[in-house]
Short mmCIF file of all heavy atoms in Angstrom, two decimals:
data_model
loop_
_atom_site.label_atom_id
_atom_site.label_comp_id
_atom_site.label_asym_id
_atom_site.label_seq_id
_atom_site.Cartn_x
_atom_site.Cartn_y
_atom_site.Cartn_z
N MET D 619 -8.23 -27.60 -20.16
CA MET D 619 -9.08 -28.73 -19.95
C MET D 619 -8.36 -29.99 -20.46
O MET D 619 -7.87 -30.04 -21.54
CB MET D 619 -10.34 -28.45 -20.83
CG MET D 619 -11.28 -29.61 -20.70
SD MET D 619 -12.86 -29.04 -21.52
CE MET D 619 -13.41 -30.57 -22.19
N GLN D 620 -8.36 -30.95 -19.56
CA GLN D 620 -7.73 -32.24 -19.94
C GLN D 620 -8.80 -33.22 -20.30
O GLN D 620 -9.63 -33.60 -19.45
CB GLN D 620 -6.88 -32.80 -18.82
CG GLN D 620 -5.63 -31.93 -18.58
CD GLN D 620 -4.80 -32.54 -17.44
OE1 GLN D 620 -5.36 -32.90 -16.41
NE2 GLN D 620 -3.55 -32.59 -17.70
N LYS D 621 -8.78 -33.60 -21.49
CA LYS D 621 -9.87 -34.49 -22.00
C LYS D 621 -9.98 -35.86 -21.26
O LYS D 621 -11.00 -36.34 -21.00
CB LYS D 621 -9.64 -34.69 -23.51
CG LYS D 621 -10.82 -34.46 -24.33
CD LYS D 621 -10.44 -34.62 -25.80
CE LYS D 621 -11.71 -34.38 -26.65
NZ LYS D 621 -11.41 -34.58 -28.03
N HIS D 622 -8.78 -36.45 -20.99
CA HIS D 622 -8.75 -37.77 -20.46
C HIS D 622 -8.24 -37.82 -19.03
O HIS D 622 -7.74 -38.87 -18.60
CB HIS D 622 -7.91 -38.70 -21.30
CG HIS D 622 -8.45 -38.84 -22.74
ND1 HIS D 622 -9.56 -39.62 -23.01
CD2 HIS D 622 -8.13 -38.32 -23.90
CE1 HIS D 622 -9.81 -39.61 -24.31
NE2 HIS D 622 -8.97 -38.77 -24.87
N ALA D 623 -8.32 -36.73 -18.35
CA ALA D 623 -7.77 -36.73 -16.98
C ALA D 623 -8.48 -37.77 -16.13
O ALA D 623 -9.65 -37.77 -15.87
CB ALA D 623 -8.04 -35.34 -16.38
N GLY D 624 -7.62 -38.76 -15.67
CA GLY D 624 -8.12 -39.77 -14.77
C GLY D 624 -8.96 -40.85 -15.43
O GLY D 624 -9.27 -41.80 -14.75
N CYS D 625 -9.27 -40.75 -16.66
CA CYS D 625 -10.18 -41.75 -17.21
C CYS D 625 -9.51 -43.13 -17.35
O CYS D 625 -10.23 -44.12 -17.31
CB CYS D 625 -10.75 -41.30 -18.55
SG CYS D 625 -9.50 -41.22 -19.85
N CYS D 626 -8.24 -43.20 -17.47
CA CYS D 626 -7.58 -44.46 -17.69
C CYS D 626 -6.92 -44.98 -16.42
O CYS D 626 -6.42 -46.17 -16.43
CB CYS D 626 -6.56 -44.37 -18.80
SG CYS D 626 -7.25 -43.91 -20.35
N LYS D 627 -6.85 -44.22 -15.38
CA LYS D 627 -6.18 -44.61 -14.19
C LYS D 627 -6.91 -45.74 -13.49
O LYS D 627 -8.08 -45.77 -13.26
CB LYS D 627 -6.16 -43.39 -13.23
CG LYS D 627 -5.14 -43.45 -12.17
CD LYS D 627 -5.08 -42.17 -11.41
CE LYS D 627 -3.92 -42.23 -10.39
NZ LYS D 627 -3.73 -41.01 -9.76
N GLY D 628 -6.12 -46.75 -13.14
CA GLY D 628 -6.67 -47.88 -12.41
C GLY D 628 -7.46 -48.87 -13.27
O GLY D 628 -7.96 -49.83 -12.76
N VAL D 629 -7.54 -48.65 -14.46
CA VAL D 629 -8.29 -49.56 -15.29
C VAL D 629 -7.34 -50.62 -15.82
O VAL D 629 -6.30 -50.35 -16.39
CB VAL D 629 -8.93 -48.78 -16.56
CG1 VAL D 629 -9.62 -49.78 -17.51
CG2 VAL D 629 -9.87 -47.72 -16.10
N ALA D 630 -7.70 -51.87 -15.54
CA ALA D 630 -6.82 -52.92 -15.94
C ALA D 630 -6.85 -53.02 -17.48
O ALA D 630 -7.89 -52.82 -18.12
CB ALA D 630 -7.34 -54.30 -15.41
N THR D 631 -5.71 -53.31 -18.01
CA THR D 631 -5.66 -53.45 -19.49
C THR D 631 -6.23 -54.76 -19.87
O THR D 631 -5.99 -55.77 -19.18
CB THR D 631 -4.22 -53.32 -19.99
OG1 THR D 631 -3.36 -54.25 -19.30
CG2 THR D 631 -3.68 -51.90 -19.80
N ALA D 632 -6.99 -54.81 -20.89
CA ALA D 632 -7.60 -56.06 -21.32
C ALA D 632 -6.51 -56.98 -21.88
O ALA D 632 -5.59 -56.49 -22.59
CB ALA D 632 -8.57 -55.76 -22.38
N ARG D 633 -6.52 -58.19 -21.49
CA ARG D 633 -5.53 -59.18 -22.01
C ARG D 633 -6.00 -59.62 -23.39
O ARG D 633 -7.18 -59.87 -23.62
CB ARG D 633 -5.51 -60.39 -21.10
CG ARG D 633 -4.21 -60.45 -20.29
CD ARG D 633 -4.17 -61.70 -19.52
NE ARG D 633 -3.05 -62.45 -20.09
CZ ARG D 633 -2.88 -63.72 -19.82
NH1 ARG D 633 -3.66 -64.33 -18.95
NH2 ARG D 633 -1.87 -64.38 -20.30
N LYS D 634 -5.00 -59.64 -24.22
CA LYS D 634 -5.27 -60.08 -25.60
C LYS D 634 -5.58 -61.60 -25.49
O LYS D 634 -4.92 -62.36 -24.88
CB LYS D 634 -3.98 -59.87 -26.39
CG LYS D 634 -4.16 -59.45 -27.75
CD LYS D 634 -2.84 -59.09 -28.39
CE LYS D 634 -3.01 -59.15 -29.90
NZ LYS D 634 -1.66 -58.90 -30.55
N PRO D 635 -6.66 -62.01 -26.13
CA PRO D 635 -6.97 -63.42 -26.17
C PRO D 635 -5.82 -64.20 -26.83
O PRO D 635 -5.14 -63.70 -27.70
CB PRO D 635 -8.22 -63.54 -26.93
CG PRO D 635 -8.41 -62.25 -27.61
CD PRO D 635 -7.56 -61.27 -26.93
N GLU D 636 -5.61 -65.43 -26.31
CA GLU D 636 -4.55 -66.22 -26.94
C GLU D 636 -4.80 -66.38 -28.43
O GLU D 636 -5.84 -66.76 -28.86
CB GLU D 636 -4.57 -67.66 -26.27
CG GLU D 636 -3.32 -68.46 -26.66
CD GLU D 636 -3.39 -69.77 -25.88
OE1 GLU D 636 -3.89 -69.79 -24.78
OE2 GLU D 636 -2.91 -70.79 -26.48
N SER D 637 -3.72 -66.04 -29.18
CA SER D 637 -3.90 -66.15 -30.61
C SER D 637 -3.85 -67.60 -31.01
O SER D 637 -3.00 -68.36 -30.62
CB SER D 637 -2.88 -65.34 -31.33
OG SER D 637 -1.60 -65.95 -31.21
N PRO D 638 -4.72 -67.97 -31.88
CA PRO D 638 -4.83 -69.37 -32.33
C PRO D 638 -3.80 -69.62 -33.52
O PRO D 638 -4.20 -69.63 -34.61
CB PRO D 638 -6.24 -69.56 -32.80
CG PRO D 638 -6.62 -68.21 -33.26
CD PRO D 638 -5.87 -67.23 -32.43
N MET D 639 -2.54 -69.72 -33.06
CA MET D 639 -1.53 -69.90 -34.16
C MET D 639 -1.65 -71.33 -34.65
O MET D 639 -1.43 -72.29 -33.92
CB MET D 639 -0.14 -69.63 -33.61
CG MET D 639 0.89 -69.67 -34.70
SD MET D 639 2.47 -69.49 -34.01
CE MET D 639 3.40 -70.68 -35.05
N TYR D 640 -1.91 -71.40 -35.92
CA TYR D 640 -2.00 -72.73 -36.54
C TYR D 640 -0.61 -73.23 -36.97
O TYR D 640 0.12 -72.47 -37.62
CB TYR D 640 -2.92 -72.69 -37.74
CG TYR D 640 -4.36 -72.63 -37.30
CD1 TYR D 640 -5.02 -71.42 -37.16
CD2 TYR D 640 -5.07 -73.78 -37.00
CE1 TYR D 640 -6.30 -71.35 -36.71
CE2 TYR D 640 -6.40 -73.74 -36.62
CZ TYR D 640 -7.02 -72.48 -36.46
OH TYR D 640 -8.31 -72.46 -36.00
N VAL D 641 -0.27 -74.40 -36.56
CA VAL D 641 1.03 -75.01 -36.93
C VAL D 641 0.76 -75.83 -38.18
O VAL D 641 1.57 -75.82 -39.09
CB VAL D 641 1.53 -75.88 -35.77
CG1 VAL D 641 2.75 -76.68 -36.22
CG2 VAL D 641 1.81 -75.00 -34.61
N CYS D 642 -0.32 -76.59 -38.16
CA CYS D 642 -0.60 -77.42 -39.35
C CYS D 642 -1.92 -77.00 -39.94
O CYS D 642 -3.00 -77.11 -39.37
CB CYS D 642 -0.73 -78.91 -38.80
SG CYS D 642 -1.24 -80.06 -40.06
N ILE D 643 -1.76 -76.52 -41.17
CA ILE D 643 -2.92 -75.99 -41.88
C ILE D 643 -3.78 -77.18 -42.40
O ILE D 643 -5.02 -77.12 -42.34
CB ILE D 643 -2.49 -75.14 -43.12
CG1 ILE D 643 -1.60 -73.95 -42.61
CG2 ILE D 643 -3.68 -74.65 -43.88
CD1 ILE D 643 -2.27 -73.11 -41.60
N CYS D 644 -3.11 -78.23 -42.85
CA CYS D 644 -3.85 -79.36 -43.35
C CYS D 644 -4.89 -79.95 -42.36
O CYS D 644 -5.91 -80.42 -42.67
CB CYS D 644 -2.91 -80.48 -43.83
SG CYS D 644 -1.85 -80.04 -45.20
N ASN D 645 -4.43 -79.98 -41.07
CA ASN D 645 -5.23 -80.59 -40.02
C ASN D 645 -5.78 -79.59 -39.06
O ASN D 645 -6.40 -79.98 -38.04
CB ASN D 645 -4.40 -81.65 -39.25
CG ASN D 645 -4.04 -82.82 -40.15
OD1 ASN D 645 -4.91 -83.51 -40.65
ND2 ASN D 645 -2.78 -83.04 -40.35
N ALA D 646 -5.57 -78.27 -39.29
CA ALA D 646 -6.02 -77.23 -38.39
C ALA D 646 -5.55 -77.45 -36.95
O ALA D 646 -6.31 -77.33 -36.03
CB ALA D 646 -7.56 -77.06 -38.44
N LEU D 647 -4.29 -77.78 -36.79
CA LEU D 647 -3.71 -77.97 -35.45
C LEU D 647 -3.08 -76.69 -34.98
O LEU D 647 -2.34 -76.05 -35.66
CB LEU D 647 -2.66 -79.10 -35.43
CG LEU D 647 -3.15 -80.48 -35.91
CD1 LEU D 647 -1.98 -81.47 -35.72
CD2 LEU D 647 -4.34 -80.95 -35.15
N ARG D 648 -3.41 -76.35 -33.77
CA ARG D 648 -2.88 -75.11 -33.13
C ARG D 648 -1.69 -75.42 -32.26
O ARG D 648 -1.58 -76.50 -31.71
CB ARG D 648 -3.97 -74.39 -32.39
CG ARG D 648 -5.09 -73.89 -33.26
CD ARG D 648 -6.13 -73.09 -32.41
NE ARG D 648 -6.57 -73.78 -31.24
CZ ARG D 648 -7.56 -74.62 -31.23
NH1 ARG D 648 -8.28 -74.88 -32.31
NH2 ARG D 648 -7.92 -75.23 -30.07
N GLN D 649 -0.88 -74.39 -32.14
CA GLN D 649 0.29 -74.52 -31.25
C GLN D 649 -0.07 -74.91 -29.85
O GLN D 649 0.58 -75.78 -29.27
CB GLN D 649 1.03 -73.13 -31.24
CG GLN D 649 2.22 -73.10 -30.32
CD GLN D 649 2.93 -71.76 -30.43
OE1 GLN D 649 2.68 -71.00 -31.30
NE2 GLN D 649 3.79 -71.53 -29.51
N SER D 650 -1.11 -74.33 -29.34
CA SER D 650 -1.54 -74.70 -27.93
C SER D 650 -1.95 -76.10 -27.81
O SER D 650 -1.70 -76.73 -26.75
CB SER D 650 -2.75 -73.78 -27.56
OG SER D 650 -3.79 -73.97 -28.38
N GLN D 651 -2.44 -76.76 -28.79
CA GLN D 651 -2.79 -78.20 -28.73
C GLN D 651 -1.53 -79.05 -28.67
O GLN D 651 -1.45 -79.97 -27.87
CB GLN D 651 -3.60 -78.62 -30.00
CG GLN D 651 -4.98 -78.03 -30.05
CD GLN D 651 -5.66 -78.40 -31.42
OE1 GLN D 651 -5.23 -77.89 -32.47
NE2 GLN D 651 -6.63 -79.31 -31.36
N ILE D 652 -0.57 -78.70 -29.45
CA ILE D 652 0.73 -79.44 -29.45
C ILE D 652 1.41 -79.29 -28.11
O ILE D 652 1.82 -80.31 -27.48
CB ILE D 652 1.57 -79.03 -30.62
CG1 ILE D 652 0.93 -79.47 -31.90
CG2 ILE D 652 2.96 -79.62 -30.49
CD1 ILE D 652 1.62 -78.98 -33.18
N GLU D 653 1.47 -78.03 -27.61
CA GLU D 653 2.11 -77.76 -26.31
C GLU D 653 1.41 -78.54 -25.20
O GLU D 653 2.07 -79.02 -24.32
CB GLU D 653 2.14 -76.28 -26.06
CG GLU D 653 3.08 -75.55 -26.98
CD GLU D 653 2.97 -74.05 -26.89
OE1 GLU D 653 1.94 -73.51 -26.40
OE2 GLU D 653 3.88 -73.37 -27.41
N ALA D 654 0.08 -78.60 -25.20
CA ALA D 654 -0.63 -79.31 -24.16
C ALA D 654 -0.27 -80.79 -24.16
O ALA D 654 -0.08 -81.38 -23.07
CB ALA D 654 -2.10 -79.13 -24.39
N LEU D 655 -0.15 -81.39 -25.32
CA LEU D 655 0.18 -82.79 -25.40
C LEU D 655 1.69 -83.04 -24.99
O LEU D 655 1.96 -84.08 -24.42
CB LEU D 655 -0.13 -83.37 -26.79
CG LEU D 655 -1.62 -83.49 -27.01
CD1 LEU D 655 -1.84 -83.94 -28.48
CD2 LEU D 655 -2.30 -84.37 -26.02
N VAL D 656 2.55 -82.13 -25.30
CA VAL D 656 3.93 -82.26 -24.85
C VAL D 656 4.00 -82.17 -23.29
O VAL D 656 4.69 -82.96 -22.71
CB VAL D 656 4.81 -81.12 -25.48
CG1 VAL D 656 6.18 -81.08 -24.86
CG2 VAL D 656 4.90 -81.35 -27.00
N ARG D 657 3.13 -81.35 -22.73
CA ARG D 657 3.11 -81.25 -21.29
C ARG D 657 2.60 -82.54 -20.69
O ARG D 657 2.92 -82.94 -19.54
CB ARG D 657 2.20 -80.09 -20.80
CG ARG D 657 2.89 -78.72 -20.92
CD ARG D 657 2.12 -77.66 -20.19
NE ARG D 657 0.80 -77.39 -20.69
CZ ARG D 657 0.52 -76.63 -21.68
NH1 ARG D 657 1.45 -75.89 -22.32
NH2 ARG D 657 -0.70 -76.45 -22.11
N GLU D 658 1.77 -83.30 -21.44
CA GLU D 658 1.28 -84.60 -21.01
C GLU D 658 2.34 -85.73 -21.16
O GLU D 658 2.11 -86.80 -20.71
CB GLU D 658 0.03 -85.04 -21.83
CG GLU D 658 -1.22 -84.27 -21.38
CD GLU D 658 -2.44 -84.77 -22.13
OE1 GLU D 658 -2.41 -85.87 -22.67
OE2 GLU D 658 -3.40 -83.95 -22.23
N GLY D 659 3.40 -85.37 -21.84
CA GLY D 659 4.51 -86.32 -21.98
C GLY D 659 4.78 -86.84 -23.36
O GLY D 659 5.70 -87.61 -23.61
N LEU D 660 3.97 -86.47 -24.37
CA LEU D 660 4.28 -86.90 -25.73
C LEU D 660 5.44 -86.16 -26.27
O LEU D 660 5.54 -84.94 -26.12
CB LEU D 660 3.03 -86.70 -26.63
CG LEU D 660 1.77 -87.51 -26.19
CD1 LEU D 660 0.64 -87.30 -27.17
CD2 LEU D 660 2.04 -89.00 -26.07
N ARG D 661 6.27 -86.87 -27.01
CA ARG D 661 7.51 -86.19 -27.53
C ARG D 661 7.74 -86.47 -29.00
O ARG D 661 8.78 -86.20 -29.50
CB ARG D 661 8.75 -86.75 -26.77
CG ARG D 661 8.75 -86.45 -25.31
CD ARG D 661 8.99 -84.98 -25.08
NE ARG D 661 9.05 -84.70 -23.63
CZ ARG D 661 8.05 -84.34 -22.92
NH1 ARG D 661 6.84 -84.26 -23.47
NH2 ARG D 661 8.19 -84.07 -21.61
N CYS D 662 6.79 -87.04 -29.71
CA CYS D 662 6.90 -87.39 -31.08
C CYS D 662 5.74 -86.78 -31.84
O CYS D 662 4.57 -86.93 -31.41
CB CYS D 662 6.99 -88.89 -31.21
SG CYS D 662 6.76 -89.46 -32.93
N GLU D 663 5.99 -86.09 -32.95
CA GLU D 663 4.96 -85.44 -33.66
C GLU D 663 3.94 -86.44 -34.17
O GLU D 663 2.77 -86.11 -34.20
CB GLU D 663 5.56 -84.55 -34.81
CG GLU D 663 6.22 -85.28 -35.89
CD GLU D 663 7.69 -85.56 -35.65
OE1 GLU D 663 8.15 -85.35 -34.57
OE2 GLU D 663 8.35 -86.12 -36.56
N LYS D 664 4.36 -87.68 -34.54
CA LYS D 664 3.41 -88.60 -35.03
C LYS D 664 2.44 -89.01 -33.93
O LYS D 664 1.24 -89.15 -34.16
CB LYS D 664 4.14 -89.82 -35.58
CG LYS D 664 4.73 -89.44 -36.95
CD LYS D 664 5.38 -90.70 -37.56
CE LYS D 664 6.09 -90.25 -38.84
NZ LYS D 664 7.03 -91.24 -39.39
N GLN D 665 2.95 -89.20 -32.70
CA GLN D 665 2.10 -89.54 -31.58
C GLN D 665 1.10 -88.38 -31.34
O GLN D 665 -0.09 -88.61 -31.05
CB GLN D 665 2.87 -89.69 -30.31
CG GLN D 665 3.72 -90.91 -30.27
CD GLN D 665 4.61 -90.89 -28.99
OE1 GLN D 665 5.01 -89.89 -28.53
NE2 GLN D 665 4.86 -92.11 -28.47
N ILE D 666 1.58 -87.21 -31.39
CA ILE D 666 0.70 -85.99 -31.15
C ILE D 666 -0.32 -85.92 -32.20
O ILE D 666 -1.50 -85.72 -31.85
CB ILE D 666 1.59 -84.76 -31.10
CG1 ILE D 666 2.43 -84.75 -29.84
CG2 ILE D 666 0.79 -83.51 -31.17
CD1 ILE D 666 3.47 -83.69 -29.68
N TYR D 667 -0.02 -86.11 -33.48
CA TYR D 667 -1.06 -85.97 -34.49
C TYR D 667 -2.07 -87.14 -34.34
O TYR D 667 -3.25 -86.88 -34.47
CB TYR D 667 -0.41 -86.08 -35.91
CG TYR D 667 0.27 -84.79 -36.30
CD1 TYR D 667 1.25 -84.18 -35.60
CD2 TYR D 667 -0.15 -84.12 -37.49
CE1 TYR D 667 1.84 -83.03 -35.95
CE2 TYR D 667 0.53 -83.01 -37.97
CZ TYR D 667 1.49 -82.42 -37.12
OH TYR D 667 2.09 -81.26 -37.54
N ARG D 668 -1.58 -88.30 -34.04
CA ARG D 668 -2.48 -89.41 -33.84
C ARG D 668 -3.42 -89.15 -32.68
O ARG D 668 -4.63 -89.39 -32.81
CB ARG D 668 -1.66 -90.72 -33.56
CG ARG D 668 -2.47 -91.96 -33.70
CD ARG D 668 -1.68 -93.26 -33.57
NE ARG D 668 -0.42 -93.17 -34.36
CZ ARG D 668 0.79 -93.47 -33.81
NH1 ARG D 668 0.91 -93.83 -32.53
NH2 ARG D 668 1.86 -93.39 -34.53
N ARG D 669 -2.90 -88.62 -31.56
CA ARG D 669 -3.73 -88.34 -30.38
C ARG D 669 -4.82 -87.29 -30.74
O ARG D 669 -5.91 -87.30 -30.24
CB ARG D 669 -2.88 -87.80 -29.27
CG ARG D 669 -3.65 -87.40 -28.04
CD ARG D 669 -4.19 -88.60 -27.24
NE ARG D 669 -3.09 -89.19 -26.43
CZ ARG D 669 -2.72 -88.66 -25.29
NH1 ARG D 669 -3.28 -87.61 -24.77
NH2 ARG D 669 -1.79 -89.28 -24.65
N LEU D 670 -4.49 -86.41 -31.68
CA LEU D 670 -5.43 -85.36 -32.10
C LEU D 670 -6.34 -85.86 -33.25
O LEU D 670 -7.14 -85.09 -33.82
CB LEU D 670 -4.69 -84.09 -32.57
CG LEU D 670 -3.96 -83.40 -31.36
CD1 LEU D 670 -3.02 -82.34 -31.85
CD2 LEU D 670 -4.98 -82.84 -30.40
N GLY D 671 -6.23 -87.18 -33.59
CA GLY D 671 -7.15 -87.76 -34.54
C GLY D 671 -6.78 -87.47 -35.98
O GLY D 671 -7.68 -87.52 -36.83
N CYS D 672 -5.53 -87.21 -36.23
CA CYS D 672 -5.15 -86.95 -37.64
C CYS D 672 -3.73 -87.43 -37.86
O CYS D 672 -3.15 -88.12 -36.98
CB CYS D 672 -5.24 -85.48 -37.93
SG CYS D 672 -4.22 -84.47 -36.83
N ARG D 673 -3.26 -87.20 -39.03
CA ARG D 673 -1.83 -87.52 -39.31
C ARG D 673 -1.30 -86.54 -40.33
O ARG D 673 -2.09 -85.89 -41.05
CB ARG D 673 -1.67 -88.99 -39.83
CG ARG D 673 -2.52 -89.25 -40.98
CD ARG D 673 -2.38 -90.73 -41.28
NE ARG D 673 -2.42 -90.95 -42.72
CZ ARG D 673 -2.59 -92.06 -43.33
NH1 ARG D 673 -2.62 -93.19 -42.64
NH2 ARG D 673 -2.62 -92.09 -44.61
N PRO D 674 0.05 -86.35 -40.38
CA PRO D 674 0.52 -85.43 -41.30
C PRO D 674 0.15 -85.72 -42.74
O PRO D 674 0.09 -86.83 -43.15
CB PRO D 674 2.09 -85.52 -41.16
CG PRO D 674 2.28 -86.17 -39.77
CD PRO D 674 1.06 -87.01 -39.55
N GLN D 675 -0.16 -84.64 -43.43
CA GLN D 675 -0.60 -84.80 -44.83
C GLN D 675 0.57 -84.35 -45.77
O GLN D 675 1.29 -85.12 -46.33
CB GLN D 675 -1.83 -84.01 -45.18
CG GLN D 675 -3.02 -84.31 -44.27
CD GLN D 675 -3.50 -85.75 -44.45
OE1 GLN D 675 -3.68 -86.22 -45.63
NE2 GLN D 675 -3.77 -86.49 -43.37
N CYS D 676 0.74 -83.02 -45.92
CA CYS D 676 1.82 -82.52 -46.77
C CYS D 676 3.16 -82.53 -46.10
O CYS D 676 4.21 -82.58 -46.76
CB CYS D 676 1.45 -81.13 -47.31
SG CYS D 676 1.62 -79.80 -46.05
N GLY D 677 3.19 -82.46 -44.75
CA GLY D 677 4.45 -82.48 -44.03
C GLY D 677 5.13 -81.14 -43.86
O GLY D 677 6.16 -81.10 -43.17
N THR D 678 4.56 -80.15 -44.40
CA THR D 678 5.20 -78.80 -44.25
C THR D 678 5.31 -78.33 -42.78
O THR D 678 6.28 -77.65 -42.43
CB THR D 678 4.38 -77.74 -45.01
OG1 THR D 678 4.23 -78.17 -46.39
CG2 THR D 678 4.93 -76.35 -44.96
N CYS D 679 4.41 -78.78 -41.99
CA CYS D 679 4.40 -78.34 -40.57
C CYS D 679 5.37 -79.10 -39.67
O CYS D 679 5.61 -78.71 -38.52
CB CYS D 679 3.00 -78.57 -40.04
SG CYS D 679 2.39 -80.23 -40.21
N LEU D 680 5.86 -80.19 -40.12
CA LEU D 680 6.65 -81.10 -39.30
C LEU D 680 7.89 -80.43 -38.64
O LEU D 680 8.08 -80.59 -37.42
CB LEU D 680 7.02 -82.42 -39.96
CG LEU D 680 5.81 -83.28 -40.28
CD1 LEU D 680 6.22 -84.48 -41.08
CD2 LEU D 680 5.09 -83.67 -39.01
N PRO D 681 8.70 -79.66 -39.39
CA PRO D 681 9.81 -78.97 -38.72
C PRO D 681 9.34 -78.04 -37.60
O PRO D 681 10.00 -77.94 -36.55
CB PRO D 681 10.50 -78.22 -39.87
CG PRO D 681 10.10 -78.93 -41.10
CD PRO D 681 8.71 -79.47 -40.83
N VAL D 682 8.26 -77.35 -37.85
CA VAL D 682 7.74 -76.43 -36.79
C VAL D 682 7.24 -77.21 -35.60
O VAL D 682 7.49 -76.85 -34.42
CB VAL D 682 6.64 -75.53 -37.39
CG1 VAL D 682 6.06 -74.65 -36.30
CG2 VAL D 682 7.22 -74.64 -38.47
N ALA D 683 6.54 -78.28 -35.89
CA ALA D 683 6.01 -79.18 -34.82
C ALA D 683 7.18 -79.70 -33.97
O ALA D 683 7.14 -79.70 -32.72
CB ALA D 683 5.14 -80.27 -35.37
N ARG D 684 8.19 -80.19 -34.63
CA ARG D 684 9.39 -80.68 -33.86
C ARG D 684 10.03 -79.59 -33.06
O ARG D 684 10.39 -79.85 -31.93
CB ARG D 684 10.42 -81.27 -34.89
CG ARG D 684 9.99 -82.57 -35.47
CD ARG D 684 11.08 -83.18 -36.38
NE ARG D 684 10.46 -84.17 -37.23
CZ ARG D 684 10.41 -84.13 -38.55
NH1 ARG D 684 10.94 -83.08 -39.21
NH2 ARG D 684 9.84 -85.05 -39.21
N ALA D 685 10.14 -78.42 -33.60
CA ALA D 685 10.73 -77.32 -32.85
C ALA D 685 9.90 -76.99 -31.63
O ALA D 685 10.40 -76.73 -30.54
CB ALA D 685 10.92 -76.09 -33.69
N LEU D 686 8.56 -76.99 -31.78
CA LEU D 686 7.68 -76.76 -30.65
C LEU D 686 7.81 -77.81 -29.60
O LEU D 686 7.83 -77.54 -28.34
CB LEU D 686 6.23 -76.74 -31.15
CG LEU D 686 5.67 -75.46 -31.70
CD1 LEU D 686 4.25 -75.70 -32.21
CD2 LEU D 686 5.69 -74.38 -30.68
N ILE D 687 7.92 -79.03 -30.02
CA ILE D 687 8.13 -80.15 -29.06
C ILE D 687 9.41 -79.93 -28.27
O ILE D 687 9.44 -80.04 -27.02
CB ILE D 687 8.07 -81.51 -29.79
CG1 ILE D 687 6.69 -81.76 -30.35
CG2 ILE D 687 8.52 -82.61 -28.86
CD1 ILE D 687 6.68 -82.91 -31.39
N ARG D 688 10.51 -79.58 -28.96
CA ARG D 688 11.80 -79.38 -28.32
C ARG D 688 11.66 -78.21 -27.28
O ARG D 688 12.13 -78.32 -26.17
CB ARG D 688 12.84 -79.06 -29.27
CG ARG D 688 13.62 -80.25 -29.85
CD ARG D 688 14.85 -79.80 -30.57
NE ARG D 688 14.70 -78.76 -31.55
CZ ARG D 688 14.35 -78.97 -32.82
NH1 ARG D 688 14.15 -80.20 -33.23
NH2 ARG D 688 14.21 -77.95 -33.64
N GLU D 689 10.99 -77.18 -27.68
CA GLU D 689 10.88 -75.99 -26.83
C GLU D 689 9.97 -76.23 -25.66
O GLU D 689 10.24 -75.77 -24.53
CB GLU D 689 10.34 -74.81 -27.62
CG GLU D 689 11.30 -74.18 -28.58
CD GLU D 689 10.73 -73.11 -29.44
OE1 GLU D 689 9.63 -72.62 -29.11
OE2 GLU D 689 11.35 -72.81 -30.48
N ALA D 690 8.91 -76.99 -25.83
CA ALA D 690 7.89 -77.21 -24.81
C ALA D 690 8.27 -78.35 -23.89
O ALA D 690 7.75 -78.38 -22.74
CB ALA D 690 6.51 -77.42 -25.38
N ALA D 691 9.14 -79.22 -24.29
CA ALA D 691 9.52 -80.32 -23.43
C ALA D 691 10.38 -79.85 -22.31
O ALA D 691 11.27 -79.05 -22.49
CB ALA D 691 10.20 -81.43 -24.27
N PRO D 692 10.20 -80.38 -21.11
CA PRO D 692 11.08 -80.03 -19.99
C PRO D 692 12.49 -80.51 -20.30
O PRO D 692 12.71 -81.60 -20.84
CB PRO D 692 10.49 -80.81 -18.82
CG PRO D 692 9.30 -81.54 -19.30
CD PRO D 692 9.15 -81.35 -20.73
N GLN D 693 13.42 -79.61 -19.96
CA GLN D 693 14.83 -79.92 -20.19
C GLN D 693 15.40 -80.75 -19.05
O GLN D 693 15.02 -80.53 -17.91
CB GLN D 693 15.66 -78.60 -20.30
CG GLN D 693 15.20 -77.69 -21.38
CD GLN D 693 15.22 -78.37 -22.80
OE1 GLN D 693 16.20 -78.94 -23.16
NE2 GLN D 693 14.10 -78.30 -23.52
N PRO D 694 16.21 -81.78 -19.38
CA PRO D 694 16.81 -82.58 -18.27
C PRO D 694 17.74 -81.68 -17.40
O PRO D 694 18.37 -80.73 -17.91
CB PRO D 694 17.63 -83.61 -19.05
CG PRO D 694 17.72 -83.21 -20.44
CD PRO D 694 16.69 -82.17 -20.66
N ALA D 695 17.74 -81.94 -16.13
CA ALA D 695 18.52 -81.19 -15.18
C ALA D 695 20.01 -81.46 -15.25
O ALA D 695 20.44 -82.36 -15.74
CB ALA D 695 18.01 -81.41 -13.78
S1 FES Q 881 0.55 -78.39 -42.86
FE1 FES Q 881 0.59 -80.15 -41.60
S2 FES Q 881 0.43 -81.80 -42.86
FE2 FES Q 881 0.22 -80.11 -44.18
#
C-alpha cells in the first residue's frame, strides 16, 4: 500500500511569499522598496530615503543600501 500514491502529482508547489528583508531597521525600509526606487531611476541612498519619507539615522544600513543600488541599477552597455 502506497500512502501517497498520486497525491502530489500535478499539484503546483506553493510559492514562498516574498520575504520582507529589512535593510534599514531604524526606518523599517525593505529591500523591495529600495529596488523599486532604483528601477524608477534613483541612484543615491539619500534620495531614496527622502522619497520614502525618512532619512538615515544610525547609518548602519548605508553600505547595504549602496550595494543594493549598485546591484539593482541597470549596467551600462
Ligand atoms: S539601520 Fe538605517 S539608519 Fe539605522
Side-chain angles (χ1 to χ4, degrees):
M619 181 171 144
Q620 291 181 314
K621 232 177 176 181
H622 297 284
C625 67
C626 301
K627 199 173 186 178
V629 177
T631 54
R633 252 185 113 191
K634 217 172 158 184
E636 190 177 328
S637 71
M639 185 183 141
Y640 285 92
V641 172
C642 176
I643 302 303
C644 295
N645 293 301
L647 301 184
R648 293 184 310 270
Q649 178 176 347
S650 59
Q651 292 174 289
I652 293 174
E653 289 170 341
L655 290 176
V656 171
R657 283 193 297 273
E658 285 183 20
L660 297 183
R661 297 289 183 270
C662 166
E663 67 276 5
K664 287 182 183 167
Q665 291 175 327
I666 289 172
Y667 282 58
R668 195 174 315 128
R669 178 75 78 80
L670 293 170
C672 59
R673 56 186 216 192
Q675 303 296 314
C676 73
T678 303
C679 57
L680 292 177
V682 175
R684 285 185 198 116
L686 276 175
I687 293 166
R688 270 195 310 274
E689 288 173 17
Q693 301 301 312

